Amino acid sequence: MKTIRALILTGLAVASTACSVEPNDPELELAEGITMEELEERVAEFATAEIAFDETALVDWEKAVLAKLVEASDIMHRLFARQVSPQNPAWADRVANRGEDAAAEYFDIMLGPWDRQRENEPFLDVGPKPAGAGYYPPDLTREEWEAWLEANPEDRADFTSPFTVIRREGDALV
């Protein structure tokens, strides 16, 4: 259990270095062709659901386990947001600068600026979603990837692991 927690916390620490947020970042604008009315309609497609339970049915150790599961799910949620895009935490702050509007609400629903219901079309002005999401450099091509693995076979196991994020350091992939 301590190992899993250490891995998660290490992952968060590494992922947090991928972006920084300036307090005066301007708000994110809507993508071209997207209106606030359209985003309000998109938000309305989703129903809010409250999940309640009878806490008195649980003994103390079960309540403690449940609290840890909720804590772990919060960490996993933040990790997934960074897997979608390393810029997501900064964008979340910038979209929050808009105030409480449909753009901010839809960003929370979609966990980023791309609409998962509409083939990842951007609804905020951030450009198209990179094919490699937050796992690979946005400019990395399949040909470059395959050439790297061919030239660096010692990297194959780590680079093809589902637990690896690839970054550039100069001309190298790390």
Side-chain angles (χ1 to χ4, degrees), residues 109-122:
I109 292 169
M110 292 294 141
L111 201 55
W114 299 287
D115 192 327
R116 296 170 188 278
Q117 304 292 93
R118 291 165 178 83
E119 299 184 28
N120 288 313
E121 149 193 302

Side-chain angles (χ1 to χ4, degrees), residues 3-165:
T3 303
I4 293 172
R5 185 170 189 221
L7 286 171
I8 290 171
L9 293 175
T10 300
L12 277 175
V14 169
S16 69
T17 64
C19 61
S20 62
V21 179
E22 296 298 321
N24 296 323
D25 275 346
E27 67 183 41
L28 283 174
E29 299 297 325
L30 298 180
E32 187 175 333
I34 303 291
T35 65
M36 190 55 66
E37 294 75 23
E38 182 180 354
L39 282 182
E40 288 167 356
E41 291 172 9
R42 292 182 188 190
V43 167
E45 293 173 4
F46 293 86
T48 301
E50 183 176 323
I51 301 174
F53 70 98
D54 181 6
E55 186 177 318
T56 62
L58 302 177
V59 295
D60 288 344
W61 73 266
E62 292 171 321
K63 291 176 189 176
V65 168
L66 184 59
K68 289 293 183 188
L69 289 172
V70 169
E71 183 182 330
S73 72
D74 289 340
I75 292 169
M76 290 169 37
H77 183 78
R78 290 192 308 268
L79 285 172
F80 179 72
R82 289 198 171 119
Q83 290 171 339
V84 171
S85 173
Q87 288 83 18
N88 254 351
W91 287 336
D93 286 345
R94 289 178 60 199
V95 79
N97 286 343
R98 299 180 59 86
E100 299 218 4
D101 70 359
E105 192 171 356
Y106 208 54
F107 185 95
D108 288 342
I109 292 169
M110 292 294 141
L111 201 55
W114 299 287
D115 192 327
R116 296 170 188 278
Q117 304 292 93
R118 291 165 178 83
E119 299 184 28
N120 288 313
E121 149 193 302
F123 57 91
L124 294 172
D125 189 22
V126 298
K129 184 176 182 182
Y135 293 101
Y136 305 97
D139 62 341
L140 180 65
T141 64
R142 176 174 293 276
E143 294 76 23
E144 181 184 7
W145 169 255
E146 290 171 356
W148 181 270
L149 292 178
E150 182 72 27
N152 301 278
E154 69 280 3
D155 287 343
R156 181 171 296 278
D158 287 338
F159 277 37
T160 58
S161 165
F163 303 105
T164 301
V165 173

